[in-house]
Amino acid sequence: MEALVASAIGVMVASGVYLLLRARTYPVVLGLTLLSYAANLFVFSMGRLTLDGPPVGKAIKKVAKTGEVAPFADPLPQALVLTAIVISFGMTAFIVALAVKSMATLETDHVDGEEPSS
Amino acid sequence: MTLLWIILLPLLGLVLPLLASKHSRAAASISAFLPPAISLGLLLSLTSSAFGGEPLIVRWPWMPEFGMNLALRLDGLGFLFAFLILAIGLLVVTYAHWYLHHDDPPGRFFSSLLLFMGAMLGVVLSENLMLLVVFWELTSISSFLLIGYWHDRPEAREGARMALAITGSGGLALIGGALLLGHMVGSYQLTEILASGDLIRNHDLYLPALALVLLGAFTKSAQFPFHFWLPNAMTAPTPVSAYLHSATMVKAGIFLMARLHPALAGTATWVFVVSTVGLVTMVVGAYVAIKEHDLKGLLAYSTISHLGLITAMLGFGVKLAVLGAIFHIFNHAAFKASLFMTAGIVDHEAGTRDVRELGGLYQSMPIVFTLGLLGSAAMAGVPFFNGFLSKEMFFHEAVYMAEHAPFKELTAAWLLPVVATIGGILSVAYSIRFVVDTFLGEEPDSFPGHPHDPSLGFWGPVALLVAVSVVGGIVPNLVAGSMVEYASTAASTGVSNLEALPKKYHGIKLWHGFNIPLMMSGIAFVVGFGVFTVRGSIISFHESLPDVRGKKIFESLLSGFRALSRTVTENLENGSLQRYLAFMIATILVAGGLPLWQNGFEVAGARSMLAPDAVSVIGWALLVVGAVAAASLHRARIQALISVGLVGLMISLAFVQFSGPDLAMTQLSVEVVNVMLLLLALFGLPETSPRETTTLQRIRDIGLAIGAGGGAGLVSYGIMTREYGTIGDYLLTHSYPEGYGTNVVNVILVDFRGFDTMGEISVLVIAALGLCSMLTGDKPDVPFPRTPARERYPMILSHVARPLMALVLAAAIYIFLRGHNEPGGGFIAGLITTVALIIQYVAHGRDWADNRMRMNFRLIALVGVLIAVASGMAAWWFDLAFLTQGVTRVPMPLIDYVKLPSTIAFDLGVFLAVVGSVMTMLLRLGAFNHEQAMGPRDPMTPNKEEDDPWKP
């Protein structure tokens, strides 16, 4: 399972980097989206993988008494990733706005702001 | 403390001329005169302690852990220099008052002068070597300001830049040398460094340290081959030249050699290098001075020559030579300052300082002529002038050195007195030229100006300096004797192989009897006069030679460097974002991969792994397909977007699988708005990307992508298969007792890390506002490539959307309320609400939805942040820290009571901020598209509702 997640992160990073290196704004935005997926999953996996142990619900009350944390997933990376998902949406929106605005102003969607000369 | 004030007064006083110049020019001059005058008084009050044998040292700790102290030192050497700096500084201020044109701003001139003065005082009075270096750099910078005072003249800017480049790079070398010295001795205190001469001279690092220090000294003192900046600095106003090139700036290098003489001198390397450089500089400078037509240029090269003489004497290193060097520093400062000022007066009154246009000025300017004549006599070394005495000492030492080690072993040792005599001959020749070609000879038909003797204030300072030169030549011990002796003692103690002063030494003597030095002087005068008479042929001979000025070499070096840096910049920074990113990613790969490559690493750790199941493998496969498809289909943008959406969905499933229900809900709802956003963006962008990269480029990009992906994958695999420690356990156990909730993730967001969350919703709101401010603007001149679709809104969606909205909103409220204990919370509820609202826009169109949803989402977002902040501040009411949360029992009918945690207010803020900002972003982008296609909406006309299926 760990290998699956790791390779998924790798594939997303690879696709994201490839898209990041394209010449037009839209693929770059998609690339950034893929990279932020990968980053979120990466941060999430820092808490290691846990099956059937959401750190949620009445069972948490028992943890306070017994101190037994065994079946639960690490809640900290989850909290970090939760806000990261929302923030990365905000950033994507901002870059999209840049792309749209630069298209409207410069009449090209090339990342350098002008059509290649050749 | 007095010592500190000597330096501080000019530095603090530099604001005075700036303020006073608003009042009058005289006020500016007087205010510039006062600080050095007081400093000079303070210095003289310390005479007895300076000459008391032990140097006066004061110390304030600054950064003691780095050996950096604000420490000052006054000994004979420092006293002599500080005296010259202040005394000649006062004369220069007086002189400048008459010299400056009424167009020249006096405030800037005098404050730069005071800055420079303070920096020079700092150099000569520092006890800490690093402090000395700091002041040294300050002299470079302030002299740049002074040389470039007439900054509207290109040659002034060029001269200033050159002086800064040369002395500044020398300063860098000096820093290196100072660090090495500090490393060798273990302290930057001069007292300790000067006492550790033997340690330094026998240290392995002696040679590099010596080279670096000498590089600093030679550049500053314009020694060959770094001499060329000095003539180019003659573009400065003459008072500046008189000050910088007689007593101060160029003497700083000499001072440094004298200061560190006890620590560095005494080796054969020192003797050969320093005296050879000095002698070469002396002859080259004197030779070039003969052919200069510009009076100041002549004096500049003469200065170089005399600096060479002093350097050579310091290089000889024997006690009497050091004494002679110090004595000549004093003498040269006096007569050279007077001559520069004379040249300035001639320039000021006659309107030119080119000797070819001058002549016969003795008639119209008798006083100035007399002063110039006397000053030149001192420069030439005529008996009964101070220049004669120190020149005789130099001749004497040259003869002495030729007979003693280490020169004795050389077969060419006889060259030493010969070269010294040649220097003397040339200096006689240019001194005669200075007087004869300016004041004697035929008067030209007309001058650019009206030559006449100026007022007393203008020539007074010159007269004073000339008087010092004359009296100092007759009764030297009275004028400078003890000061020079104490200074040379300070410069030579500690050098073990220096000879003590001869037993019979009774101060500087005027008459030594008929001896070899006197004979050398005689030769110098006779031959020098002969050289002067044939100066015309020398000049024409010189002009027939190829022009190998240092200035040219410097400039071609400079333009070479410029071209090099331009090439590097243009190749690295060619304006292509793709290239920048490729460089960055390659750098990350190298920086991240290299340590792993070098040290080797085990990929898999020992942690036991989970077995994959069929569902996970299918999800993984879909994710990989989506990601690869997004990259390979990227030119067909809709397809690429769908593929990215697929990846996002698989991620949310992964969160479900690996026990992150909150994350899964967040990811899912964000995915919906994200796809919506990217679709909206496509409206304003082309549908496809052109194929424009070369195969080579694509191969490079694929390589980088595989490298990055492989690296990320390996790293995450490595981490996931290893054990770790986490504070997650603490959060799990304390979530309920202290955070009053059983959804630990939510408790972390609103309680444990509430401050963090507050920052994050602020970022989100700022992003929304930034997007709004960017996406404004009128309808473009050129028509937009696309027009809005004309089709009817999808009927089924339209019919389902409205009842669905009520359900979704109810679900959102439920998810919001339970969020503290079960999966949910402000973020998720906010995103779900946004989806519910935005669906109305999709189903019915903007106009329809806008008419029914008259809400200012920007305001909602801001209110959300404010509520979050206010809920945090509420804790202050209970004397608790910001964002401390609590719980209360709210009585309820029927069900007794409800436990209501205060975090609900904070979560409400999060909810509103999310709804407000995401709605703002999407709506603004949609509106922008619409404006681009149709022109801005007219606020006066009511919105037209098209194709409303609900209309009766």
Side-chain angles (χ1 to χ4, degrees), chain B residues 230-517:
Chain B
L230 200 151
N232 287 296
M234 286 303 133
T235 47
T238 302
V240 171
S241 310
Y243 196 40
L244 261 59
H245 306 316
S246 63
T248 54
M249 171 84 166
V250 293
K251 293 280 171 68
I254 303 282
F255 169 81
L256 185 72
M257 284 188 269
R259 173 51 91 209
L260 294 178
H261 201 265
L264 294 173
T267 61
T269 320
W270 168 280
V271 175
F272 283 129
V273 171
V274 178
S275 54
T276 309
V277 168
L279 289 172
V280 170
T281 309
M282 179 183 77
V283 174
V284 169
Y287 166 71
V288 181
I290 294 179
K291 60 109 200 154
E292 278 293 311
H293 300 303
D294 178 8
L295 281 182
K296 276 175 78 177
L298 187 151
L299 292 175
Y301 279 105
S302 143
T303 303
I304 293 174
S305 167
H306 281 273
L307 292 168
L309 185 150
I310 300 170
T311 305
M313 288 229 258
L314 284 174
F316 291 162
V318 290
K319 175 104 192 183
L320 269 180
V322 174
L323 183 80
I326 305 271
F327 190 35
H328 198 65
I329 290 170
F330 181 83
N331 296 338
H332 176 254
F335 68 69
K336 192 50 68 63
S338 83
L339 286 172
F340 267 118
M341 290 179 179
T342 309
I345 293 177
V346 169
D347 186 16
H348 200 266
E349 307 304 344
T352 177
R353 44 172 219 256
D354 189 323
V355 287
R356 287 168 299 188
E357 300 174 25
L358 292 168
L361 281 177
Y362 72 97
Q363 295 163 342
S364 46
M365 307 172 83
I367 299 176
V368 177
F369 163 63
T370 315
L371 295 174
L373 179 68
L374 296 176
S376 305
M379 177 159 76
V382 175
F384 304 112
F385 288 90
N386 59 4
F388 171 74
L389 298 173
S390 37
K391 194 182 67 178
E392 286 290 287
M393 287 168 137
F394 170 62
F395 287 161
H396 181 268
E397 294 314 313
V399 174
Y400 175 89
M401 287 306 286
E403 295 164 353
H404 288 79
F407 281 104
K408 198 173 69 175
E409 281 87 48
L410 301 179
T411 46
W414 56 271
L415 264 175
L416 219 51
V418 173
V419 171
T421 315
I422 292 175
I425 292 169
L426 295 172
S427 105
V428 168
Y430 66 69
S431 301
I432 298 176
R433 180 159 193 240
F434 181 85
V435 177
V436 172
D437 283 358
T438 311
F439 296 103
L440 302 175
E442 254 181 71
E443 191 167 347
D445 299 337
S446 68
F447 291 101
H450 304 284
H452 60 277
D453 269 332
S455 58
L456 173 66
F458 207 0
W459 62 261
V462 190
L464 202 60
L465 288 165
V466 168
V468 169
S469 307
V470 177
V471 178
I474 298 168
V475 279
N477 291 311
L478 191 70
V479 175
S482 52
M483 193 151 65
V484 169
E485 272 169 46
Y486 283 114
S488 68
T489 307
S492 47
T493 42
V495 186
S496 49
N497 55 349
L498 274 190
E499 288 182 14
L501 282 175
K503 286 219 176 75
K504 284 191 291 181
Y505 181 77
H506 296 299
I508 302 154
K509 280 206 300 190
L510 195 55
W511 179 247
H512 294 271
F514 292 101
N515 53 11
I516 300 176

Side-chain angles (χ1 to χ4, degrees), chain B residues 825-859:
Chain B
F827 276 110
I828 299 164
L831 287 163
I832 292 175
T833 308
T834 309
V835 171
L837 294 176
I838 215 73
I839 282 189
Q840 305 309 313
Y841 281 84
V842 177
H844 306 297
R846 276 176 67 235
D847 296 337
W848 185 93
D850 273 352
N851 278 345
R852 282 158 185 78
M853 220 186 295
R854 299 198 170 277
M855 273 189 272
N856 184 345
F857 286 106
R858 264 187 282 186
L859 192 66

Side-chain angles (χ1 to χ4, degrees), chain A residues 22 24 37 48 74 101, chain B residues 671 692 701 722 726 776:
Chain A
R22 294 307 92 203
R24 302 287 157 169
Y37 288 158
R48 308 302 186 265
D74 192 339
K101 179 73 175 182
Chain B
E671 200 47 48
E692 54 193 338
D701 293 350
R722 283 172 169 79
T726 173
T776 50

Side-chain angles (χ1 to χ4, degrees), chain A residues 1-2 4 7 10 14-15 21-22 24 26 37 48 50 52-53 55-57 60 74 78 83 93 101 103 109 112, chain B residues 575 577-578 610 620 627 637 658-659 671 678 684 692 701 705 709 719 722 724 726 742 744 760 774 776 823 921:
Chain A
M1 206 75 110
E2 277 80 1
L4 288 183
S7 59
S15 292
L21 294 169
R22 294 307 92 203
R24 302 287 157 169
Y26 200 74
Y37 288 158
R48 308 302 186 265
T50 314
D52 303 323
V56 172
I60 298 297
D74 192 339
Q78 296 200 11
T83 48
K101 179 73 175 182
M103 179 72 196
D109 67 335
D112 297 336
Chain B
L577 183 72
Q578 289 167 277
L610 303 172
W620 172 84
R637 295 181 171 181
F658 300 116
S659 315
E671 200 47 48
L678 291 171
E692 54 193 338
D701 293 350
I719 293 173
R722 283 172 169 79
Y724 75 121
T726 173
T742 57
V744 186
E760 269 155 338
M774 199 154 35
T776 50
M921 294 188 206

Side-chain angles (χ1 to χ4, degrees), chain B residues 765-910:
Chain B
V765 173
I766 290 167
L769 295 180
L771 181 143
C772 280
S773 62
M774 199 154 35
L775 292 184
T776 50
D778 299 328
K779 192 178 177 184
D781 301 333
V782 284
F784 201 66
R786 219 184 299 262
T787 47
R790 292 281 106 193
E791 296 108 52
R792 288 168 60 89
Y793 292 103
M795 195 163 65
I796 295 175
L797 184 62
S798 307
H799 280 83
V800 173
R802 266 187 274 182
L804 196 65
M805 177 163 156
L807 287 176
V808 176
L809 286 182
I813 292 170
Y814 170 64
I815 284 172
F816 174 78
L817 286 176
R818 75 169 192 176
H820 210 49
N821 294 311
E822 296 291 328
F827 276 110
I828 299 164
L831 287 163
I832 292 175
T833 308
T834 309
V835 171
L837 294 176
I838 215 73
I839 282 189
Q840 305 309 313
Y841 281 84
V842 177
H844 306 297
R846 276 176 67 235
D847 296 337
W848 185 93
D850 273 352
N851 278 345
R852 282 158 185 78
M853 220 186 295
R854 299 198 170 277
M855 273 189 272
N856 184 345
F857 286 106
R858 264 187 282 186
L859 192 66
I860 290 176
L862 288 175
V863 168
V865 176
L866 285 180
I867 289 179
V869 174
S871 82
M873 291 198 296
W876 292 342
W877 187 266
F878 304 97
D879 278 338
L880 294 167
F882 185 62
L883 279 171
T884 308
Q885 305 291 359
V887 67
T888 183
R889 292 180 176 203
V890 182
M892 279 275 175
L894 300 178
I895 52 168
D896 197 11
Y897 67 89
V898 165
K899 252 194 193 171
L900 190 65
S902 64
T903 50
I904 200 137
F906 186 82
D907 224 9
L908 179 68
V910 172

